[in-house]
Each structure stands twice: as C-alpha cells, then as structure tokens.
Amino acid sequence: RGVVAARERTMGLPEPRAWVVLVVGIFLGRLSVSVTHPTTCLSPSWSPIAAGDARIYYKPNESTPGLPQPPTKPGEGFKFEDARGSYERVEYPGGEYVNLVYTRAGHKRSGDIHKCAQVNTVVVGEALLTQVMKDGGETQTKLRGGDHVVIPPHVPHLYEFTKDTLMTESWTHREPDADRAQCEFEAWFHKKLRARIDARSTVRDG
C-alpha cells in the first residue's frame, strides 16, 4: 500500500479532500452565476429579486403608470396590431394565459417595469434586451430563436428587435415563498427607456 500511495503522489493525483474542494468550488461558481446574472434561469435562484428596486414605482422622475391591457371575459383573449407587428393574448378556461408577440425588425417594445417576473421565450428571430440595474447601469443580452429569459421584478427593460421575431410572454409571481403562479399584467413605463420607442409605432390599427 505504501508503494501504491507513493506512486499516486508521484503521478500528481489529487487527494480526496482536494476533490471535495474542487467540486464545492464549481458548485458555488455556478450558484453565484445564477444569483447575480439577471437573465439566468436556474432553479432555485432564478430571477433574483435583488436585481430590481421596488421603490422605483414611487419615483415620478423615473416611472409613470403604463397602459392597461384591454378588458377580457374569462377564457377570451384579445389581439391588436400596430406598426411594430401584433400582440395577442390567448386565454384558457382555467385562467392560464400566454401572450404571442410578433415584432418586425427595427422596432422596440416594453420600456417598462413590472412587480412580477416577466418570462419570455424567443420562438424565432433575434432581439437585444436592455435591463437597467439598481445603480443605473445598463446590461444588454442578445437573444435568438430558442432562448428563454426571466426578467426579475422591478427591473426596467427594453426589447430592440434586429430581425422579425415571434416570442411568448407571461408574468409570474417571484416573491419569497411564492408558488410561481401566473400574475396579471400590470406595468409602469420607465421614462428613460420608453423615450427610446417611437411613439408613432405604438398607435394601434383601427
């Protein structure tokens, strides 16, 4: 046994304790990414609440109440179109819903803030997602077909579409001990981001 141990040391094989340290280090590294990166979706640390500032709704120089979605009956959705494309809400008998958002290249959407986490999946296309952090700094993430993103609560965000894009959209509760049930749409405009959207493109057809 002494000869084998000496041979292992000579070959430079890590001791069991070293393996444990290595595995723990890798795990903590992955965890830190899931907690700090706002667009990471890794359970259980997805959509970190710490990324947003819940006080932003009470800062009139930064935000203002947004437009409500059109009223609907249970199980019925709605659809409207403008220069950017189309926006359709599909509802199901149990109250579940999903929004289908089609946007032409060169246009922008959102520029707003929500108290729930926003969940988007890009079906096809390409977009740049801008998010404003607590310190006022902006991050940009490029999204393409098949990408999934969870925008944390209270984080201002803006989508800029570089290709014709179809994506899904919904909102989910993300507070301590919440069951991640869907929450109803409620939005505030972020003045700085909303100003980047051409107001003429938001005028609804008809």
Side-chain angles (χ1 to χ4, degrees), residues 69 72 75-79 87-101 119-123 148 166-172 182-185:
Q69 287 191 339
T72 60
E76 295 184 3
F78 63 81
K79 180 178 180 179
Y87 191 100
E88 181 177 4
R89 176 177 170 125
V90 180
E91 292 193 8
Y92 297 89
E96 304 87 355
Y97 70 87
V98 62
N99 294 336
L100 303 177
V101 187
V119 182
N120 293 112
T121 297
V122 179
V123 179
H148 174 77
L166 175 65
M167 71 180 187
T168 66
E169 182 175 73
S170 62
W171 289 270
T172 303
Q182 285 190 309
C183 60
E184 283 302 313
F185 174 83

Side-chain angles (χ1 to χ4, degrees), residues 34-65:
S34 69
V35 170
T36 58
H37 198 288
T39 59
T40 299
C41 183
L42 295 177
S43 181
S45 299
W46 71 289
S47 181
I49 299 173
D53 184 0
R55 299 169 299 176
I56 193 168
Y57 311 101
Y58 309 104
K59 298 179 179 179
N61 60 321
E62 295 186 34
S63 67
T64 185

